[in-house]
Amino acid sequence: MAAEEVSKPSSTTPPYPEMIFAAIDALDEKDGSSKSAISKYIESEYDDLPPGHDTLLAHHLSKMKESGELQLVKNNYMRPDPNAPPRRGRGRPPKPKPAVSPGTVISPPRPRGRPPKPRDPNAPLPPPPGPPRPRGRPPKKAKTSTASTASPRPRGRPPKAKPPFPVVGFD
């Protein structure tokens, strides 16, 4: 049984990033090129593409977008402008940090939360912890019956007293 060869792009097909850059440059749209336009251009230029071309193209486009080689603006891919300022993220920008002269030791940031109360140096030390207390409910005490107690009352609230019915007579 011969080992099957994995389908690899032939030596005439350049790597995907090169094909993507060539497609974007050839399409030369000012708003960038969509994924479908890039795919159609690559399919028309190169005949021997691998069977998973759409998946490979999507993977390389997202990878190039994350690395900063491409920008995605309104679902169109374009090369980033080298003279453009970097895009600002969402939310409020961080405060500028003051300039620190060299040789200055920077203290670590304060921990979050309320600081502990300062301990009085004249106060006595707290007692050492005793043996651990048992957890859970204490055991129930055994009931003892004594002769001196009258009838014990039942637990809980007594029932509501019912009013007597008035006698209605016939004359």
Side-chain angles (χ1 to χ4, degrees), residues 8 23 39 46 55 75 87 104 118 139 159 164 169:
K8 295 180 182 177
S39 177
Y46 305 100
T55 307
N75 286 337
R87 290 192 59 191
T104 306

Side-chain angles (χ1 to χ4, degrees), residues 82-153:
N83 300 330
R87 290 192 59 191
R88 211 186 81 176
R90 294 175 59 183
R92 185 175 184 166
K95 291 182 181 178
K97 304 211 178 200
V100 179
S101 62
T104 306
V105 178
I106 301 172
S107 63
R110 287 189 357 211
R112 294 179 61 186
R114 185 176 182 154
K117 282 186 177 180
R119 192 166 126 26
D120 184 16
N122 298 330
L125 292 174
R133 292 185 10 198
R135 295 191 175 243
R137 263 190 165 173
K140 286 188 175 182
K141 295 181 181 175
K143 290 186 179 180
T144 56
S145 62
T146 58
S148 65
T149 59
S151 66
R153 288 191 302 188

